[in-house]
Amino acid sequence: MTYRSILLFALVILVLQAGCAARKDPAVSVAVEDFIAVAQLEELDKIRTRNDYSWEYLSERFIIVKTRDGEYLLRFQRRCRELYEVPVQPDIRFEPNLLRARFDTIRGCRIDKLYAIEPGQADELRQLGWAPGDEP
């Protein structure tokens, strides 16, 4: 074996391992939809951000938005592949201290729905799509 073929083989193994460890977005999105229905999450029209928030990826359709006041589940109108694209798409805000469903965007993706969640529910959502024993 040549050095080039060994390097290619190692690269293929690394890619396969990363693919096996990755969450499956469509399955996670379906699981989150089921979670919303079962938990009967309260749908919100807007959340106050005080112009300071962060988000955590669940799938291309769902993220958890973290503000000073708590955590919220956010659903996009479509699969948002722009979450990790560069250059970053600008956000559209009609009020700088609020995130509004149906009007505002994150990374160029329109927000469809916002849900109030409890801290324990946020932890459950983070675990969706991971095999038992895997670290999220």
Side-chain angles (χ1 to χ4, degrees):
M1 283 183 126
T2 66
Y3 176 73
R4 185 176 284 181
S5 61
I6 293 172
L7 187 60
L8 180 63
F9 180 73
L11 181 63
V12 168
I13 295 297
L14 287 173
V15 169
L16 288 174
Q17 284 179 338
C20 292
R23 295 166 30 144
K24 307 297 181 214
D25 271 2
V28 171
S29 293
V30 169
V32 173
E33 293 284 357
D34 291 343
F35 183 89
I36 292 167
V38 169
Q40 297 177 345
L41 297 181
E42 176 188 1
E43 190 174 334
L44 307 171
D45 288 328
K46 61 187 174 192
I47 58 173
R48 181 169 301 284
T49 61
R50 296 188 177 115
N51 208 20
D52 181 32
Y53 71 92
S54 62
W55 55 269
E56 186 175 339
Y57 181 89
L58 294 177
S59 73
E60 289 180 336
R61 293 293 300 254
F62 293 96
I63 61 174
I64 294 175
V65 175
K66 301 176 200 175
T67 70
R68 293 182 199 172
D69 298 331
E71 296 178 313
Y72 303 88
L73 180 63
L74 182 146
R75 182 182 194 273
F76 293 110
Q77 286 184 343
R78 61 174 176 79
R79 291 173 33 195
C80 185
R81 293 186 178 107
E82 292 89 347
L83 289 174
Y84 289 107
E85 283 187 359
V86 175
V88 174
Q89 297 295 318
D91 292 343
I92 296 173
R93 297 277 183 280
F94 290 96
E95 294 183 43
N97 293 327
L98 296 174
L99 276 178
R100 294 182 181 270
R102 300 177 308 282
F103 299 106
D104 295 343
T105 66
I106 293 180
R107 300 272 175 124
C109 297
R110 187 158 317 277
I111 300 167
D112 184 30
K113 296 181 181 182
L114 297 164
Y115 298 97
I117 55 174
E118 301 294 323
Q121 291 174 322
D123 292 337
E124 285 182 58
L125 288 165
R126 288 182 185 99
Q127 295 297 321
L128 293 176
W130 293 100
D134 285 348
E135 293 287 328

